[in-house]
């Protein structure tokens, strides 16, 4: 009877702490009240895909326009996305924002088109002023700034006999004047041209220091890039494919002096947060089927259903306020030699349900085929690889971790895809954190052990859902053994989703701070 009473008291105390009832809510948030300094962005490409009912690239390109960005109709108003995260994100207009409908010769123009943006590209208004006004309008909605997709070539309609150097110098000056802050340099005639991509970064350094130039496709350009994107992956194999790409991006290169050397891992936002990378968010909050009622195959609801995981974005960019993305350095990267293999079996005969792999990614596949991808089980930066003990079924998640130059440490467990199942195995994970006192913790665990060099006698442990502002004292909910701090997985889940929006299915994400007797 005595044991039952004690357990009941502990359970009630746990509920009170997690619900915030034991907290005055007057304590200062553990997340700084400032914009994230990393060049993270939301881009419109997958929203264009949704609006076009997955009608193909040309339809996607046609509907990037003023009406869809600012309109009030169904499926419009894209600048109103991410109310809790957009102060930390650049709004990037994707493919063909600078190309009129039914025209192909202006790719790479960076000229705001009057047909698509009539209230900004008005007669008598210079292009740089038109973009400046658009930037102000988007920033007025709360975004950090505006950027755009850039075709990797010069538009012959605007080249006018100039050299590529002169052409892009003019556009960099437009960017500086207008506050246009991001060039997402993608495909085009010069997609694999190393000298071209380096030239764009060098021009930006000289003429528009606040302009972020993102490169892709050529791993060798990473050391002389400010940002390098791991490039497109399909949602269902996104984690394993991104881990495979990050192995080469992080473990083979070191940023040269004068270049930022950041790696962007697209929509894998918890990977970006925990591993010190930047993110290019593509998920959008219009959950469910396409406007025509057919399944949204870019974000399949039968897998991770990422369009219902919007709070993950908020948590990831808010962690970057504490621990910003940092440069590649192969000497500071650890990559597990062990690989984890994910696979997905195509079992839907109806092509419209699962077309995301047909021809587009790995060749033509048919009903019954298995799609297989492998990536390193663990990656860490500036710290040892985490230790992971398999669960009762012998399964482990992908795990990433890093110690930020700021001193903060982060760790994330990432899900697995096997047959037609997606889940994150809840395992015992241990990280070596040295004297770090601030932690970003993402994903699911059985227990997380933080091995420190701190004197944890009389330490106070506080935590907060990265999506909210309630600071909770969780000292009584964790275990301290010498200099080891052990956090039960259910505590991480409850705290890390404690302020989650109704209906959101995001994985947990929290910030934890250790206060010792010396601080």
């Amino acid at each position: 009877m005595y044991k039952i009473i004690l357990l009941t008291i502990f359970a009630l105390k746990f509920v009170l702490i997690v619900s915030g009832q034991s907290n005055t809510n007057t304590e200062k948030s553990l997340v700084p009240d400032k914009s994230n300094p990393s060049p993270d962005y939301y881009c419109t490409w997958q929203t264009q895909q949704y609006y076009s009912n997955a009608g193909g690239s040309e339809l996607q390109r046609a509907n990037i326009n003023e009406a869809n960005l600012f309109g009030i109709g169904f499926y419009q108003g894209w600048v109103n996305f991410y109310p809790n995260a957009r102060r930390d994100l650049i709004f990037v207009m994707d493919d063909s924002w600078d190309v009129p409908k039914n025209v192909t010769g202006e790719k790479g123009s960076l000229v705001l088109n009057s047909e698509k943006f009539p209230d900004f590209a008005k007669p008598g208004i210079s292009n740089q002023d038109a973009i400046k006004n658009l930037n102000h309008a988007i920033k007025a909605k709360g975004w950090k700034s505006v950027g755009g997709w850039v075709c990797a070539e010069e538009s012959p309609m605007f080249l006018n006999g100039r050299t590529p150097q002169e052409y892009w110098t003019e556009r960099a000056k437009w960017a500086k004047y207008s506050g246009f802050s991001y060039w997402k340099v993608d495909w085009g005639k010069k997609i694999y041209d190393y000298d071209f991509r380096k030239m764009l970064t060098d021009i930006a350094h000289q003429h528009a220091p606040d302009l972020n130039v993102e490169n892709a496709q050529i791993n060798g350009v990473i050391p002389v890039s400010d940002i390098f994107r791991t490039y497109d992956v399909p949602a269902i194999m996104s984690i394993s494919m991104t881990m495979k790409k990050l192995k080469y991006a992080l473990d083979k290169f070191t940023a040269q002096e004068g270049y930022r050397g950041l790696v962007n891992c697209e929509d894998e936002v918890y990977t970006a947060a925990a591993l010190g990378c930047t993110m290019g968010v593509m998920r959008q909050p219009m959950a469910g089927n396409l406007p025509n009622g057919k399944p949204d195959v870019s974000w399949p609801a039968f897998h991770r259903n990422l369009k219902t995981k919007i709070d993950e974005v908020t948590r990831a960019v808010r962690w970057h306020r504490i621990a910003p993305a940092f440069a590649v350095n192969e000497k500071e990267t650890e990559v597990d030699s062990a690989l984890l293999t994910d696979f997905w079996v195509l079992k839907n005969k109806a092509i419209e349900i699962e077309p995301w792999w047909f021809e587009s990614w790995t060749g033509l596949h048919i009903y019954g085929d298995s799609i297989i991808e492998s990536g390193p089980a663990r990656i860490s930066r500036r710290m040892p690889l985490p230790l992971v003990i398999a669960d009762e079924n012998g399964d482990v998640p992908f795990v990433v971790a890093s110690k930020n130059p700021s001193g903060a440490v982060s760790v994330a467990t990432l899900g697995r895809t096997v047959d037609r199942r997606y889940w994150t195995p809840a395992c015992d994970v241990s990280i070596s954190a040295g004297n770090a006192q601030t932690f970003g913790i993402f994903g699911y665990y059985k227990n997380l052990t933080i091995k420190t060099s701190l004197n944890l006698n009389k330490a106070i442990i506080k935590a907060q859902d990265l999506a909210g502002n309630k600071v909770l004292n969780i000292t009584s909910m964790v275990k301290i053994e010498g200099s080891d701090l052990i956090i039960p997985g259910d505590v991480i889940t409850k705290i890390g989703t404690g302020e989650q929006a109704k209906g959101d299915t995001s994985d947990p994400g929290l910030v934890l701070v250790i206060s010792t007797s010396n601080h």
Side-chain angles (χ1 to χ4, degrees):
M1 183 67 179
Y2 179 70
K3 289 183 178 179
I4 293 173
I5 292 172
L6 285 178
L7 288 172
T8 303
I9 292 172
F10 177 81
L12 287 171
K13 187 175 184 180
F14 182 89
V15 171
L16 287 172
I17 291 173
V18 171
S19 66
Q21 295 177 39
S22 65
N23 184 47
T24 63
N25 293 331
T26 59
E27 189 165 352
K28 185 178 180 181
S29 172
L30 301 178
V31 180
D33 185 18
K34 63 179 183 180
S35 292
N36 157 25
S38 300
D40 298 323
Y41 63 83
Y42 154 76
C43 83
T44 62
W45 182 242
Q46 287 295 342
T47 309
Q48 293 169 237
Q49 184 270 353
Y50 179 85
Y51 190 87
S52 69
N53 288 306
S57 296
E58 290 308 316
L59 284 178
Q60 286 179 249
R61 293 177 182 125
N63 62 44
I64 175 66
N65 55 51
E66 179 182 326
N68 287 337
L69 265 58
F70 295 96
I72 60 174
F74 276 167
Y75 316 116
Q76 293 184 324
W78 303 349
V79 294
N80 297 315
F81 292 168
Y82 289 104
N84 298 321
R86 58 184 180 236
R87 69 178 288 195
D88 296 294
L89 291 166
I90 301 167
F91 187 94
V92 172
M93 303 175 292
D94 216 279
D95 192 341
S96 294
W97 65 273
D98 57 345
V99 180
K101 292 182 179 180
N102 304 316
V103 175
T104 59
E106 294 185 28
K107 292 187 183 299
S109 73
L110 278 64
V111 174
L112 201 63
N113 176 253
S114 60
E115 182 183 12
K116 289 186 173 180
F117 293 89
D119 287 341
F120 298 96
K122 296 179 179 180
I125 300 293
S126 69
N127 185 58
Q128 60 182 3
D129 277 316
I131 296 177
K132 182 178 182 179
N133 293 338
L134 177 61
N135 183 37
H136 286 170
I138 290 177
K139 288 179 70 174
K141 293 292 185 177
W143 299 86
K144 278 203 297 190
S145 60
V146 68
W149 183 93
V150 175
C151 194
E153 61 185 73
E154 298 79 36
S155 167
M157 296 180 66
F158 292 90
L159 191 55
N160 298 325
R162 292 173 296 174
T163 66
Q165 182 87 20
E166 293 168 332
Y167 181 92
W168 292 106
T169 294
E170 177 186 51
R171 279 147 181 78
K173 291 179 178 179
W174 289 350
K176 180 179 180 180
Y177 175 86
S178 65
F180 198 88
S181 68
Y182 209 98
W183 284 359
K184 181 187 176 188
V185 188
D186 207 308
W187 59 267
K189 294 177 180 177
K190 299 183 178 181
I191 184 172
Y192 302 117
D193 188 330
Y194 172 97
D195 293 332
F196 168 79
R197 290 185 174 277
K198 181 179 182 299
M199 177 191 73
L200 293 186
T201 304
D202 291 343
I203 286 174
H205 286 178
Q206 182 177 356
H207 299 286
D210 294 329
L211 174 62
N212 298 282
V213 177
E214 175 192 284
N215 285 309
Q217 295 289 10
I218 314 170
N219 283 356
V221 82
I222 293 174
V224 292
S225 291
D226 282 341
I227 305 159
F228 180 85
R229 181 164 62 97
T230 55
Y231 216 71
D232 298 354
V233 292
I236 288 181
M237 282 293 159
S238 179
I239 292 174
S240 55
M241 290 181 72
T242 298
M243 290 291 284
K244 180 171 68 174
K245 292 187 177 192
L246 287 172
K247 167 183 170 59
Y248 296 103
L250 298 174
D251 193 36
K252 304 293 183 183
F253 301 99
T254 298
Q256 291 186 13
E257 185 176 355
Y259 296 92
R260 296 168 74 185
L262 304 178
V263 171
N264 181 300
C265 48
E266 288 193 333
D267 197 80
E268 287 303 331
V269 296
Y270 278 0
T271 304
L275 205 50
C277 298
T278 68
M279 64 197 81
V281 179
M282 293 193 183
R283 70 187 78 177
Q284 44 84 5
M286 292 183 285
N289 291 336
L290 299 170
N292 64 7
K294 292 184 178 181
D296 185 350
V297 294
S298 287
W299 307 111
F302 50 79
H303 189 249
R304 292 165 73 186
N305 205 5
L306 282 168
K307 292 195 297 182
T308 67
K309 299 182 185 296
I310 299 302
D311 278 345
E312 289 184 356
V313 177
T314 301
R315 294 184 180 114
V317 295
R318 281 164 63 89
W319 175 248
H320 271 173
R321 297 184 191 179
I322 298 168
F326 58 96
V328 294
N329 186 331
E330 60 182 318
K331 295 180 180 179
E332 296 178 341
T333 301
E334 299 286 340
V335 177
D336 198 342
S337 59
L339 300 179
L340 296 180
T341 298
D342 283 5
F343 68 95
W344 181 263
V345 180
L346 296 172
K347 289 186 178 179
N348 285 309
K349 292 183 179 180
I351 292 178
E352 69 269 14
I353 296 176
E354 291 185 77
W356 41 268
W357 237 301
F358 285 81
E359 298 183 285
S360 300
W361 301 99
T362 54
L364 181 64
H365 290 279
I366 61 174
Y367 171 71
D369 280 0
S370 292
I371 314 302
I372 303 171
E373 288 291 343
S374 298
R378 300 169 297 165
I379 299 177
S380 67
R381 303 179 68 192
R382 305 184 76 245
M383 63 182 288
L385 289 170
L387 299 178
V388 184
I389 299 175
D391 68 9
E392 62 276 10
N393 298 313
D395 295 319
V396 295
F398 289 98
V399 182
V400 296
S402 68
K403 184 168 186 178
N404 196 270
S406 71
V409 166
S410 48
V411 60
T413 61
L414 309 168
R416 301 292 308 282
T417 296
V418 176
D419 195 358
R420 294 180 66 82
R421 178 191 179 201
Y422 173 81
W423 86 111
T424 304
C427 296
D428 284 306
V429 177
S430 176
I431 57 173
S432 297
N435 62 356
Q437 293 184 260
T438 302
F439 300 85
I441 302 169
F442 304 90
Y444 294 100
Y445 302 80
K446 182 178 181 181
N447 294 284
L448 174 64
T449 299
I450 300 175
K451 305 183 79 64
T452 80
S453 59
L454 303 172
N455 180 359
L456 297 182
N457 185 33
K458 299 181 181 180
I460 302 297
I461 313 301
K462 296 179 181 179
Q464 172 183 326
D465 184 347
L466 276 162
N469 293 298
K470 293 180 182 178
V471 180
L472 305 174
N473 186 330
I474 65 168
T475 307
S476 63
M477 302 165 64
V478 302
K479 183 185 295 185
I480 293 175
E481 296 181 351
S483 58
D484 290 355
L485 172 63
I486 304 169
I487 312 162
D490 58 356
V491 173
I492 293 170
T493 298
K494 289 181 181 294
I495 301 289
T497 60
E499 296 189 61
Q500 194 145 290
K502 184 177 181 180
D504 194 286
T505 68
S506 293
D507 291 359
L510 61 85
V511 53
L512 180 146
V513 173
I514 301 173
S515 297
T516 64
S517 57
N518 296 324
H519 292 81

